Amino acid sequence: MFDVVLVAPEIAPNTGNVARTCAVTGARLHLVRPLGFRLSDRLLKRAGLDYWAHVAWQVHDTWDDLLAALPGARFCYLDPRGSLWYSQMDFAPGDVLVFGSESRGLPPGLMEERPGPVLRVPMRPGLRSLNLASTVALVLYEAYRQQGFPGMT
């Protein structure tokens, strides 16, 4: 129902935890290179446990490759400078939730290639961000909540 995109993720355990979240929700996971780890990394596998077999996931060499794989989909970007709280967004089946790397966020100009709503997670002033895996879980579960958690018990 939803796609999760990690652009240039840097930390293997975060990506493993995101994969686990995608497995339990049924979301598809897309990783856009460069990756800050090897796909054979033991920490990636450990964080994802035996859930990797239950995740539909794909690695894209470039942002353009990702765009070609998801034509016509609405992209929703998560960025601390977003104009809407994630909870104010009306998510729809097929939405693509796009998250940037742990240390740099989304690359400049990326959102201009496929415009879409830019969302943020409310936080206390002066703090940079929430953990990537936590943010993905928070936003993805809100999107599924709005749809009535289809296929979940």
Side-chain angles (χ1 to χ4, degrees), residues 44-67:
L44 175 72
K45 290 181 180 177
R46 181 177 178 193
L49 297 171
D50 56 345
Y51 289 81
W52 280 104
H54 302 281
V55 180
W57 64 289
Q58 187 174 0
V59 179
H60 304 274
D61 288 328
T62 67
W63 177 250
D64 288 338
D65 290 345
L66 171 77
L67 294 178

Side-chain angles (χ1 to χ4, degrees), residues 64-105:
D64 288 338
D65 290 345
L66 171 77
L67 294 178
L70 298 169
R74 179 172 68 167
F75 279 41
C76 303
Y77 301 94
L78 275 291
D79 187 271
R81 298 171 300 269
S83 58
L84 286 175
W85 287 357
Y86 75 96
S87 58
Q88 295 172 312
M89 179 67 190
D90 289 325
F91 292 102
D95 280 349
V96 178
L97 310 176
V98 183
F99 302 83
S101 70
E102 290 88 342
S103 67
R104 293 181 305 276

